Amino acid sequence: MFGGGIILVGYVCKYTPVEIIEAFGETPVKLEPDSKSYEQAEALIHSNICSFAKGILENIIDNHIEEVVLTSCCDSIKRLYDVLKERVKFIYLLDLPRKKDPMAVDLFYGEIKEFIDAYKAYIKRDFSKEILAKILENKAIKGKRMDSESIAILGARLKEDVVEKIKNSCAEKIINLTCTGEERIFDVKPEGDILKNYAESLLNLTPCMRMADDRNDLVNKKFKGIIYNTIKFCDYYAYEYAELKDKVDIPLLKIETDYTDSGSGQILTRVDAFLESTGIKKIEKTKAKSGYFAGIDSGSTSANVVIIDENKNIISYSIVPTGPKAVESARQAFELALKSAGLKEEDIKAAVATGYGRVSIPFAQKTVTEITCHGKGAFFIDSTVRTVIDIGGQDSKVIRLDDSGNVVDFVMNDKCSAGTGRFLEVMARTLGVSIEEMGKVVEKVKEDITITSMCTVFAESEVISLIAQNKDQRDIIHALNKAVASKAVSLVERIKGKGKYMMTGGVAKNKGVVTAIEKRLGEKILIPPEPQIIGALGAALIALEGK
Amino acid sequence: MDAVKSYSKFIKKNMERPEKVKKLINLGLFIAYHYVKFFRDKRLPESFHFLNKYSIKCVIDSLNQPQNSAWVNIFAPSEFLIAMDIKPLFIEAYSSFMSGFFIEDCLIDAAESKGISNTLCSYHKTFLGASELGILEKPRFMITTSIACDANIPTFRYLSKKFGVPLCIIDVPYKYSKEAVSYVKKQLQELAAKLEEAFKRKLDLDKLREIVKTENKTRALMREYLNYVGKKTLQTTMTFEMYMLFASHVFIGSKETLKFYEMLVSDIKKAPEKSGKSVFFVHILPMFETNFKQYFNFGEKYHIAGSDINFDFLHEIDENDPFLGIAERLILTSLNGGIDRRVSRIRELLEYIKPDGIIQFCHLGCKQSMGGAFVIKKLASEMGIPFLCLDGDCVDKRNNQEGQNRTRLEAFLEML
Ligand code: SF4
Ligand code: SF4
Ligand code: SF4
């Protein structure tokens, strides 16, 4: 895509005078980082700046982009500019005012003129206002701009392909109103200085969070639902989410993304679960049938299958560790369950798949997210449950149910492994004990240690230094169990979870963690006999009767 | 120390009762003030003792008179407030005090569980948390600028909406130009009008000029002070280096600040010739980090040779047209604009101070500063001064990897 004869001018912000670049006859491209790592970027800039900015840097290096136009959007972009200055042939930072009064327009107008001069000098070609006028004419406002009958994606920029995937995953109309998602349509006055009018209309685009204007017009629209995106290490947008969370009576889902590829599967799960739980996406109810029904939970650490009969009796179940190919492990688990039930595949009337691998299970007719399934399964086992805490190998989630067992709210942890089974595994290895050993420690022995870092990598080094200080191993384990518990409790608090609580997932078998959570919540937690199969059970129930 | 810990425990126990917490915090500040007043640390130069009392008093004053106070951030043009006898509370100071009281963790958790980004700067998170928990009385006005970091505008906008208190945002352009100055000047005029309206009193222009005059005198003393920093050793602590922000920013222009710098210059003149190794800090200092405390607070071998944030502007400003003067100051502070501007200020300071080493403590969440670390490192190596970059948090003690940092810090100090 990059390279070849055409010169591409990279930009990132919607306030960039893209049309001016076009008027020069060049090709502006909105940079969308797609790198899997930030290796080169982190050699040039501190790793704790915004992940998008790091991604851009990586991208510019990878693709040898030589012309870049930025705005003074945020600290990360400003520093990106400082770092790039000596590395690309042409770079320009437009000072973008945060207001849009006449003086601000003048200031921005001046900036645009200076930019034109700088670019003219660089490519040794002239700029023509007439061409600009033509380009703008083609981008004039036509028809209505926003549709309240749709689901809006708001917040920080979201990768184009994730937006596409969300659009494809449901029948609803999705509009992208993230910081740079807006279409470039203008209402440039024909009379007077076209450049000045252009500057003014740029400043009048829907204000992003960086601007001084408030965004009431945008966020108070009656959407059917809002998917709110924030970016790791970007500060701007979380504020607005915090505000909306309490105010809006519209279904609201927060997602946090960064610009590496790995997270998009989890995001889709969240979006799906959100659409299901708010009733925007319907799961059809089917009439009670006779026969057997299967639920397949294809998770990142294990594949679990539950088979029930028409009266909701559990006939058999299986748990198989996930191998390199998720489908095969699911198949194995399915066959194992069939075998122990003494059934054949034809005996299964309907099968529903859930979990990370759910979309690729060929022997299931339907897929439902693990959020809905866990809620369903937990409520079936005990209808007094109102909050489900699920801590699995790679992720953890908390689901809140209403009195009829419907999911009313949920959170999932960030992509990192903090507070999950994986975290405990790493620590067990560091300590040289088994996971089972760790689970037995329910109390401090000598002293009450607290692990302060949540991040697996940092916590590991903390553990190493505790070992070096000769601390009692059981106290370290106790501290680790508390750390996992505190992460889980913070998720519970985020959605204001209340009793009764049920814990599911592999970590529910860890007595130490369970006790630590109970202490923090001040309440007993129900642990089902086999906490790992609750998702699959929920899926089987949905196979039988719908949601 | 233990008294503080039990005080902190007691506050935390009462978090559900904001009225009580408010009182406890005021009480804590009151005790701190009197403690400082009556039990002066003998090692401490007189000027810092004076500053210590003054800073605590400023915080107490604004908390005690919320209806006569304005919340600001450190770069706000508070000359207007001083001229109108309005008590500013700058959020960075409040958060530092809360960390001093060991309750920052509670406040930060409150902000995060509300949905505020966990990677946001903890000075902001602490303050936001305090307002979420209802332990802050709402002020009458708020002012923020776009200088230095991203956090300012959204934090204040959030607070202003939450409390229904008017906010004035001063948008300070990144680049300097005549138009930029007029743009800011006009915003300052609007600010003055809004303040007059909110506090129902007039701004006396002559008084404002007086304050700007005092401000200029104060900066002259800062420059004089710089002549000695490289040659003398003034015993101090990281906390005092940070207290200086009261004097170099929010309260500059007040008589007390002028007095502080007069005392400071006389203290440094009297101070012994330089001995041991001196370390210059980029941006802010981790005043609650144990290793740093151990080495730098009244350190015999190592001492603090200033930080660039206290010298971000050193020129005179226009005394006749204070609106213009202040507008220029806002745009030209070394924390505004491209990294080059900051680098050249740091270079200037290094030439004065000639420190033996430079430390940049990358405060988690402070992207504007950490983003420039590699550029400043380059400057240091050009000037042949050892440079150390460490990650951590100046407020939230949970984010400090003290074990790891210890090794790095010690190795660095051994190197000097
Ligand atoms: S946040 Fe605003 S200024 Fe920044 S890139 Fe997005 S649209 Fe541009
Ligand atoms: S995502 Fe946020 S921090 Fe990152 S570049 Fe955009 S505005 Fe800046
Ligand atoms: S430490 Fe950095 S991010 Fe925090 S308030 Fe100061 S300048 Fe802003």
Side-chain angles (χ1 to χ4, degrees):
Chain A
M1 163 180 178
F2 297 96
I6 330 161
I7 293 174
L8 301 170
V9 188
Y11 74 97
V12 294
C13 167
K14 73 173 173 210
Y15 294 104
T16 313
V18 168
E19 289 68 25
I20 303 261
I21 303 171
E22 287 171 353
F24 268 109
E26 297 299 327
T27 319
V29 274
K30 190 159 97 185
L31 297 177
E32 276 261 304
D34 48 10
S35 27
K36 299 232 174 352
S37 81
Y38 303 123
E39 218 171 286
Q40 305 170 79
E42 286 181 359
L44 296 172
I45 203 162
H46 196 288
S47 57
N48 285 352
I49 70 155
C50 151
S51 56
F52 170 75
K54 278 192 294 185
I56 289 291
L57 181 52
E58 192 81 24
N59 190 290
I60 289 174
I61 302 172
D62 276 348
N63 297 310
H64 309 288
I65 295 178
E66 289 178 337
E67 299 178 17
V68 182
V69 180
L70 302 172
T71 62
S72 57
C73 160
C74 64
D75 296 337
S76 295
I77 296 290
K78 288 176 194 163
R79 294 293 94 93
L80 174 69
Y81 167 79
D82 292 325
V83 166
L84 278 177
K85 221 163 36 177
E86 282 151 23
R87 286 193 169 71
V88 293
K89 284 197 184 138
F90 178 83
I91 181 152
Y92 203 89
L93 179 96
L94 284 115
D95 193 359
L96 176 66
R98 291 173 179 78
K99 301 190 172 177
K100 53 183 189 199
D101 56 41
M103 283 186 105
V105 171
D106 272 345
L107 205 61
F108 196 44
Y109 169 52
E111 274 295 301
I112 292 184
K113 279 196 298 195
E114 271 175 40
F115 164 68
I116 293 177
D117 290 342
Y119 200 54
K120 236 197 253 177
Y122 169 76
I123 57 166
K124 304 194 176 55
R125 205 180 306 147
D126 247 341
F127 167 80
S128 127
K129 286 190 181 173
E130 289 68 44
I131 301 182
L132 176 68
K134 277 222 188 71
I135 293 171
L136 289 172
E137 216 176 292
N138 288 333
K139 297 190 183 181
I141 296 180
K142 294 179 206 102
K144 62 175 178 182
R145 296 178 86 162
M146 246 177 252
D147 192 346
S148 57
E149 266 310 281
S150 34
I151 294 170
I153 310 178
L154 288 176
R157 57 177 75 239
L158 185 59
K159 248 179 143 167
E160 215 48 70
D161 64 319
V162 180
V163 176
E164 275 315 303
K165 280 186 198 155
I166 294 179
K167 282 185 180 162
N168 294 338
S169 75
C170 72
E172 296 300 320
K173 187 164 188 266
I174 306 265
I175 41 172
N176 182 359
L177 297 173
T178 56
C179 101
T180 50
E182 206 178 353
E183 254 182 280
R184 292 191 80 83
I185 35 181
F186 296 99
D187 186 12
V188 180
K189 279 181 271 169
E191 68 275 3
D193 183 346
I194 180 162
L195 269 185
K196 188 161 178 176
N197 298 344
Y198 174 58
E200 182 174 359
S201 65
L202 274 178
L203 284 184
N204 276 294
L205 292 171
T206 315
C208 63
M209 274 298 278
R210 180 249 186 217
M211 300 312 232
D213 282 306
D214 67 35
R215 300 175 11 115
N216 292 344
D217 277 356
L218 175 64
V219 296
N220 290 347
K221 282 242 154 54
K222 282 276 165 231
F223 297 111
K224 243 181 166 173
I226 296 176
I227 299 172
Y228 205 95
N229 181 42
T230 60
I231 288 187
K232 237 191 163 50
F233 290 107
C234 168
D235 298 334
Y236 286 150
Y237 287 91
Y239 292 92
E240 188 167 80
Y241 165 72
E243 235 170 75
L244 285 177
K245 202 172 79 168
D246 282 354
K247 241 175 32 193
V248 171
D249 44 2
I250 300 169
L252 174 70
L253 169 77
K254 180 188 170 185
I255 53 180
E256 182 180 86
T257 54
D258 72 6
Y259 263 81
T260 50
D261 250 358
S262 44
S264 73
Q266 205 202 32
I267 290 163
L268 284 182
T269 306
R270 291 197 205 190
V271 171
D272 261 0
F274 166 70
L275 297 176
E276 285 164 13
S277 72
T278 51
I280 296 175
K281 185 169 172 179
K282 303 251 171 353
I283 300 175
E284 281 160 46
K285 287 227 183 238
T286 32
K287 285 210 193 79
K289 312 169 209 166
S290 57
Y292 299 97
F293 303 86
I296 301 128
D297 180 358
S298 166
S300 53
T301 37
S302 67
N304 318 315
V305 171
V306 169
I307 296 178
I308 58 173
D309 67 11
E310 64 210 53
N311 299 317
K312 302 185 187 172
N313 300 309
I314 298 179
I315 306 297
S316 74
Y317 70 86
S318 64
I319 300 172
V320 170
T322 303
K325 288 208 176 111
V327 191
E328 277 167 25
S329 315
R331 181 88 229 170
Q332 257 178 34
F334 186 43
E335 270 159 18
L336 209 67
L338 284 171
K339 198 170 156 210
S340 64
L343 294 172
K344 295 216 168 51
E345 200 171 332
E346 306 84 81
D347 300 327
I348 304 295
K349 282 269 157 58
V352 165
T354 185
Y356 276 144
R358 66 183 182 281
V359 281
S360 44
I361 307 294
F363 42 95
Q365 292 79 42
K366 217 164 39 173
T367 64
V368 178
T369 63
E370 54 269 36
I371 309 276
T372 306
C373 290
H374 269 96
K376 183 99 185 163
F379 193 78
F380 173 73
I381 297 218
D382 189 325
S383 62
T384 60
V385 171
R386 292 295 171 270
T387 305
V388 185
I389 304 170
D390 175 68
I391 309 185
Q394 307 262 330
D395 70 3
S396 50
K397 46 188 168 289
V398 175
I399 305 161
R400 196 153 59 85
L401 306 174
D402 67 10
D403 296 344
S404 332
N406 301 312
V407 177
V408 281
D409 203 355
F410 65 92
V411 271
M412 288 170 89
N413 72 334
D414 317 330
K415 264 190 9 187
C416 69
S417 58
T420 65
R422 174 90 194 117
F423 174 87
L424 289 170
E425 262 170 43
V426 172
M427 299 307 153
R429 220 183 36 222
T430 311
L431 285 165
V433 296
S434 68
I435 284 281
E436 290 70 34
E437 274 320 301
M438 283 187 69
K440 287 185 194 143
V441 180
V442 292
E443 244 168 39
K444 64 166 190 201
V445 182
K446 289 192 193 120
E447 74 182 298
D448 196 10
I449 306 175
T450 301
I451 304 270
T452 49
S453 336
M454 280 293 181
C455 163
T456 311
V457 181
F458 283 149
E460 190 176 3
S461 69
E462 244 186 288
V463 167
I464 292 173
S465 78
L466 288 170
I467 298 174
Q469 291 165 38
N470 248 327
K471 299 282 180 196
D472 192 299
Q473 196 183 56
R474 288 161 300 176
D475 283 339
I476 304 180
I477 294 174
H478 179 237
L480 287 165
N481 289 343
K482 276 198 313 180
V484 174
S486 104
K487 184 91 189 170
V489 171
S490 77
L491 291 181
V492 172
E493 281 167 359
R494 270 218 336 243
I495 59 163
K496 306 200 172 70
K498 44 183 194 284
K500 274 184 177 162
Y501 296 94
M502 176 181 281
M503 201 165 146
T504 62
V507 178
K509 294 179 179 167
N510 182 315
K511 194 106 194 21
V513 174
V514 175
T515 319
I517 300 182
E518 285 176 338
K519 266 194 201 140
R520 290 281 305 266
L521 293 174
E523 201 174 314
K524 271 262 163 243
I525 297 177
L526 290 166
I527 308 290
E530 185 39 84
Q532 264 172 292
I533 60 161
I534 304 303
L537 172 62
L541 290 165
I542 293 172
L544 168 67
E545 58 179 12
K547 191 179 166 186
Chain B
M1 206 33 135
D2 283 339
V4 179
K5 289 244 164 88
S6 11
Y7 167 71
S8 131
K9 260 199 189 143
F10 191 63
I11 297 191
K12 284 183 183 168
K13 255 196 215 129
N14 282 290
M15 266 313 165
E16 311 266 293
R17 294 150 71 194
E19 283 308 318
K20 185 147 186 200
V21 174
K22 252 186 244 174
K23 285 202 187 109
L24 283 168
I25 288 174
N26 286 343
L27 178 71
L29 289 165
F30 180 80
I31 295 175
Y33 178 74
H34 285 277
Y35 185 85
V36 171
K37 195 162 159 192
F38 295 116
F39 303 96
R40 177 180 159 199
D41 188 328
K42 292 284 173 308
R43 295 169 293 181
L44 197 62
E46 242 170 89
S47 51
F48 283 125
H49 183 238
F50 174 79
L51 178 65
N52 196 353
K53 279 187 302 180
Y54 178 58
S55 307
I56 302 177
K57 188 168 171 302
C58 288
V59 175
I60 295 180
D61 280 353
S62 60
L63 287 179
N64 279 347
Q65 313 167 37
Q67 275 311 297
N68 188 32
S69 89
W71 289 351
V72 300
N73 78 304
I74 161 171
F75 296 101
S78 43
E79 288 93 341
F80 296 95
L81 301 178
I82 302 176
M84 292 172 77
D85 195 30
I86 298 164
K87 309 288 176 202
L89 176 67
F90 72 105
I91 64 167
E92 296 89 344
Y94 180 86
S95 298
S96 300
F97 274 103
M98 295 309 110
S99 186
F101 289 164
F102 288 87
I103 57 170
E104 83 282 4
D105 49 349
C106 258
L107 307 189
I108 288 171
D109 289 350
E112 287 179 3
S113 73
K114 185 66 212 262
I116 295 294
S117 158
N118 56 1
T119 54
L120 176 68
C121 163
S122 48
Y123 285 100
H124 285 255
K125 273 191 294 189
T126 306
F127 198 86
L128 287 163
S131 67
E132 284 309 324
L133 290 169
I135 59 177
L136 274 163
E137 200 79 49
K138 73 173 182 189
R140 187 169 269 190
F141 202 79
M142 302 181 189
I143 309 172
T144 191
T145 71
S146 59
I147 297 176
C149 73
D150 293 342
N152 296 322
I153 292 178
T155 292
F156 277 85
R157 190 168 40 206
Y158 182 85
L159 292 169
S160 148
K161 278 193 186 169
K162 181 176 169 73
F163 289 102
V165 170
L167 161 69
C168 183
I169 296 175
I170 313 277
D171 179 24
V172 180
Y174 204 54
K175 300 179 188 168
Y176 179 87
S177 67
K178 256 185 29 220
E179 293 73 28
V181 176
S182 330
Y183 177 55
V184 177
K185 183 177 163 182
K186 191 179 135 260
Q187 297 180 65
L188 292 177
Q189 285 161 340
E190 287 165 4
L191 166 68
K194 284 187 193 159
L195 283 171
E196 287 181 339
E197 193 189 311
F199 289 89
K200 305 208 169 30
R201 61 183 89 136
K202 276 266 163 243
L203 167 70
D204 178 349
L205 271 183
D206 287 330
K207 200 159 173 205
L208 184 63
R209 287 197 187 97
E210 239 352 273
I211 282 162
V212 168
K213 248 184 217 151
T214 314
E215 179 168 350
N216 281 339
K217 276 191 217 152
T218 310
R219 288 224 171 77
L221 290 165
M222 281 183 192
R223 294 192 296 266
E224 191 181 347
Y225 169 72
L226 277 176
N227 288 324
Y228 295 97
V229 189
K231 302 178 193 122
K232 305 273 191 164
T233 296
L234 201 60
Q235 284 285 355
T236 173
T237 70
M238 288 183 294
T239 310
F240 289 106
E241 200 58 39
M242 296 308 286
Y243 269 144
M244 259 213 218
L245 290 172
F246 280 83
S248 61
H249 290 82
V250 182
F251 292 91
I252 194 158
S254 73
K255 288 201 185 60
E256 290 85 349
T257 295
L258 181 64
K259 183 169 169 206
F260 161 68
Y261 277 99
E262 283 164 359
M263 292 167 80
L264 183 68
V265 169
S266 108
D267 276 338
I268 200 159
K269 282 184 184 161
K270 284 186 291 196
E273 294 302 307
K274 183 185 162 183
S275 63
K277 302 288 178 193
S278 63
V279 173
F280 179 83
F281 284 84
V282 175
H283 208 49
I284 44 181
L285 294 83
M287 52 194 216
F288 302 109
E289 216 268 5
T290 352
N291 304 311
F292 277 80
K293 280 201 319 216
Q294 184 192 333
Y295 282 102
F296 289 106
N297 287 358
F298 299 119
E300 304 224 318
K301 263 167 99 183
Y302 307 103
H303 54 261
I304 305 159
S307 136
D308 72 316
I309 194 170
N310 275 317
F311 303 97
D312 61 332
F313 186 81
L314 289 171
H315 305 281
E316 278 207 355
I317 63 179
D318 194 328
E319 290 177 1
N320 292 321
D321 186 350
F323 289 95
L324 180 88
I326 297 171
E328 287 195 317
R329 164 171 85 70
L330 291 175
I331 303 175
L332 286 174
T333 148
S334 61
L335 286 166
N336 187 43
I339 195 85
D340 306 352
R341 202 191 274 172
R342 184 152 189 207
V343 165
S344 56
R345 168 52 41 90
I346 292 179
R347 183 195 293 277
E348 228 178 289
L349 292 171
L350 294 176
E351 277 160 7
Y352 266 114
I353 299 175
K354 302 201 170 47
D356 299 292
I358 304 172
I359 295 181
Q360 177 166 8
F361 189 80
C362 291
H363 172 67
L364 195 78
C366 185
K367 286 139 213 121
Q368 60 90 4
S369 192
M370 69 172 89
F374 290 96
V375 186
I376 291 166
K377 183 173 181 179
K378 203 170 129 220
L379 168 76
S381 85
E382 273 167 31
M383 297 184 72
I385 308 173
F387 176 86
L388 174 71
C389 175
L390 282 182
D391 290 337
D393 199 309
C394 295
V395 178
D396 190 347
K397 301 174 202 89
R398 294 170 298 182
N399 289 334
N400 286 329
Q401 308 300 318
E402 296 197 342
Q404 284 189 4
N405 278 355
R406 176 167 204 96
T407 319
R408 295 195 198 155
L409 178 64
E410 285 178 353
F412 176 74
L413 293 176
E414 282 162 12
M415 220 167 82
L416 298 181

